[in-house]
Amino acid sequence: DFFSRAQLGTIAEFVSERGGGLLVLGGRSFAQRGLMGTPLEDVLPLELAARRSALPRTTVARDALPRHNAVMPTPEGEGHPIMRLGPSVEDSRKSWAALPALASIAPLGGPRPGALVLGVTSGPGGDTLPVVAVQRYGRGRSMVFAGEASWRWRMMLPASDRRYESFWRQAARWLAAEAPSPITITTSDDPAASRPVTVEAEA
């Protein structure tokens, strides 16, 4: 409610046209479906309408379902730079399994075409729910973190544990992809003397 519709549209354009990165996180961000019908809805990698049985159970093996509200990387997530918490896939998988569960998960829908779900959890009814999802949108990138209280990964572990910092640093780096120049000027491919030349400027 803090942003006007025009401001939300500007944020969407920042991602699609300027190559910006957008992270939406926390249960309150998705409460009462407040982002549905706004210019940001299409920017996000997860559907906001569907709330139950968001992912097929085949997303992860039945015997590998994470604890309630605990995050587990998907097969796509195990190789993604955001989710790497160890030198190998096996080490990273064990590292995620040892993290404390989150306080809650915002129940969102499945991924949009082209989006990747990197981390999942099991809901109260045994459903597989997405927690971490990303997508490229136009020139930019977007990410959803549907968990609440990721600070538990810091405050409920020894002071020497750096997995909380590693996850959020890696997420910020992935989102902060190189953006195009503020002003881009292009000309005809093969300008010749005495012929008109097309010059396009994008600001």
Side-chain angles (χ1 to χ4, degrees):
D1 292 341
F2 179 83
F3 296 105
S4 68
R5 187 173 183 84
Q7 289 172 322
L8 293 174
T10 300
I11 295 172
E13 290 175 1
F14 168 72
V15 178
S16 63
E17 301 296 330
R18 289 286 303 127
L22 174 68
L23 167 65
V24 179
L25 71 159
R28 291 181 63 187
S29 297
F30 305 104
Q32 300 176 356
R33 304 186 182 187
L35 292 174
M36 285 182 61
T38 71
L40 285 189
E41 184 173 8
D42 289 340
V43 181
L44 302 179
L46 297 176
E47 298 283 352
L48 301 182
R51 296 298 179 119
R52 294 189 56 79
S53 300
L55 299 171
R57 293 182 186 274
T58 54
T59 303
V60 291
R62 183 65 187 166
D63 58 354
L65 280 176
R67 294 168 287 128
H68 180 59
N69 287 350
V71 179
M72 182 179 74
T74 62
E76 295 82 6
E78 288 178 342
H80 199 280
I82 289 178
M83 302 295 285
R84 290 181 193 148
L85 292 183
S88 69
V89 169
E90 186 61 31
D91 290 333
S92 185
R93 190 181 297 132
K94 290 178 180 177
S95 189
W96 277 105
L99 284 175
L102 298 169
S104 62
I105 304 294
L108 301 176
R112 296 183 181 280
L116 292 176
V117 175
L118 306 182
V120 295
T121 192
S122 57
D127 293 333
T128 303
L129 301 175
V131 182
V132 183
V134 297
Q135 76 171 355
R136 295 179 183 273
Y137 185 78
R139 293 176 173 173
R141 300 176 174 187
S142 65
M143 173 178 168
V144 160
F145 183 81
E148 192 70 54
S150 66
W151 55 262
R152 290 181 171 207
W153 299 343
R154 188 73 185 93
M155 303 300 291
M156 297 175 70
L157 293 171
S160 58
D161 193 290
R162 291 290 179 262
R163 284 175 286 184
Y164 173 85
E165 288 91 339
S166 294
F167 171 78
W168 286 114
R169 184 183 300 115
Q170 289 164 184
R173 285 177 175 165
W174 185 85
L175 286 166
E178 185 175 350
S181 300
I183 299 177
T184 305
I185 298 176
T186 56
T187 61
S188 307
D189 291 339
D190 189 20
S194 74
R195 289 190 177 182
V197 176
T198 302
V199 178
E200 294 182 351
E202 180 181 7

